[in-house]
Structure formats: structure tokens, C-alpha cells
Amino acid sequence: RLTENTPTILRRGLGVNVIRSVDDLDKSKLTALLEQSFKRTLNADAFFRRLERDLDFVIVAGDYAGAAIVTRESSDSTFPPITYLDKFAVLPTHQGDGTVDFLWVALHDESYGLGLSYAANPNGGKEGRGEGRDLVWRSRADNPVNKWYFERATGHLRIGKWVMFWCDAEKRLKIEEGKRGRE
């Protein structure tokens, strides 16, 4: 029961930074985060070589307590690259403390939420400027995190042992809704 004497607990959040170059990443801390989060050994040389070619940005929470790694994927030059959430990881010691939500808000502000007045991450981000881009990612069908993904995704498609998720660019959706309303 809440009373006038019920204390309020405030917790300072983690800093959230957007990094756009592999050279600016702390590779050892990122490797440790990914290995602890996914409980697997990372083939770091191959992973970072691929990031050198395909990296769009990495959002880092705190001192690598969590990270969202976003790449630009393309199979050929006739289609624009796809904005792909390659890895979304939070240290086990930070799971459940809000780190995941800090990361997701920053991910929104740098990808599918760009161009909206409230997408204004100033920490190495685009400060809301630019055109929103659809964001896609996949997850194993038996991943316990999928419930959380289903709540945040615009849509999904089951493909064998995988689920493909996406978030449509929000500004574009608002424009499309406006066009439909005038028809």
C-alpha cells in the first residue's frame, strides 16, 4: 500500500553510446559480452572482419553491459541494403535491470524511429535526423526472449527453426496512414 511515507527509489541509468566504426569498439569487452550473453565462444576474427565490411552502428550500454549491433546487409546492388539487427546482447548480471530497455529505445532512435521528433539520442547518434529504415532480425524459434521480441516487432514470419522479425520505419508508416485516410 502506498502512503505519504512510502520511499521512492531512483536508479541512475547507464550511459548509451552509438559507435559507427569498428576501430572505436573495445573488441575484447564486446567479445566478452557476446560470449557471456549467448553462452558460446565467438569466432572473433571472422566476426570483426565481417563488421569491418558491413557495420552500420553499435549501440553500447554502460561499459559494455549491453550492445545492439546493426549491419547493412545486401545480396546484390539492385536493392538497397537491409538494416539488420545482427546481435542484441546484455550481460547476465544486467538482465532484468532495465539495460535491455535502454538499448531498445536507442535502437529505435537510430533505425526505424529516425525522423520522429522524439528520436533524439544525442550520444553519438543522429539526434533524430534522417529517414527511418525498416529493421529486421531473426531469432531461433525456441528462444525464450521471443515473447519480448513479439511485443516490439511490427510483424514476424516463422521460417523453420527461425522466426524473422521486423519493425517498419515509423515515419513512413505515418505517411502511408495519412495517404490512406485521404483516399
Side-chain angles (χ1 to χ4, degrees):
R1 187 181 123 178
L2 295 177
T3 68
E4 62 185 41
N5 298 319
T6 301
T8 300
I9 297 174
L10 297 176
R11 184 178 57 85
R12 183 182 167 109
L14 296 173
V16 176
N17 291 299
V18 180
I19 298 171
R20 300 194 182 279
S21 168
V22 174
D23 293 336
D24 295 332
L25 292 170
D26 186 322
K27 292 178 183 175
S28 62
K29 287 182 179 181
L30 184 57
T31 299
L33 163 64
L34 295 173
E35 289 182 347
Q36 289 178 52
S37 180
F38 293 105
K39 298 177 179 71
R40 294 183 179 164
T41 301
L42 179 70
N43 181 344
D45 291 336
F47 179 73
F48 287 110
R49 264 195 317 274
R50 187 171 62 76
L51 284 187
E52 294 214 8
R53 183 187 68 226
D54 299 328
L55 181 67
D56 192 355
F57 59 88
V58 179
I59 300 170
V60 176
D63 189 23
Y64 289 81
I69 301 169
V70 177
T71 58
R72 303 284 282 170
E73 303 292 336
S74 180
S75 59
D76 66 43
S77 61
T78 57
F79 296 102
I82 295 170
T83 304
Y84 181 70
L85 176 57
D86 189 273
K87 300 277 185 281
F88 192 85
V90 175
L91 286 173
T93 55
H94 283 270
Q95 292 173 3
D97 73 357
T99 299
V100 69
D101 296 313
F102 292 132
L103 272 176
W104 195 266
V105 168
L107 179 61
H108 166 273
D109 289 357
E110 292 300 311
S111 59
Y112 66 99
L114 267 178
L116 301 175
S117 61
Y118 52 85
N121 177 25
N123 303 308
K126 294 184 176 181
E127 298 180 354
R129 293 188 293 269
E131 286 299 313
R133 299 172 287 169
D134 297 341
L135 177 70
V136 299
W137 69 97
R138 70 179 182 158
S139 177
R140 293 188 189 279
D142 61 353
N143 186 342
V145 176
N146 285 349
K147 179 183 183 305
W148 191 82
Y149 286 151
F150 282 118
E151 293 170 354
R152 282 150 184 80
T154 304
H156 72 278
L157 178 65
R158 293 181 186 276
I159 307 169
K161 66 179 183 175
W162 297 97
V163 180
M164 178 68 72
F165 294 94
W166 64 88
C167 289
D168 294 312
E170 290 180 4
K171 186 174 181 183
R172 190 186 74 240
L173 284 178
K174 290 179 189 301
I175 292 168
E176 290 299 318
E177 286 173 5
K179 285 180 184 176
R180 282 188 230 124
R182 289 190 301 263
E183 293 174 356

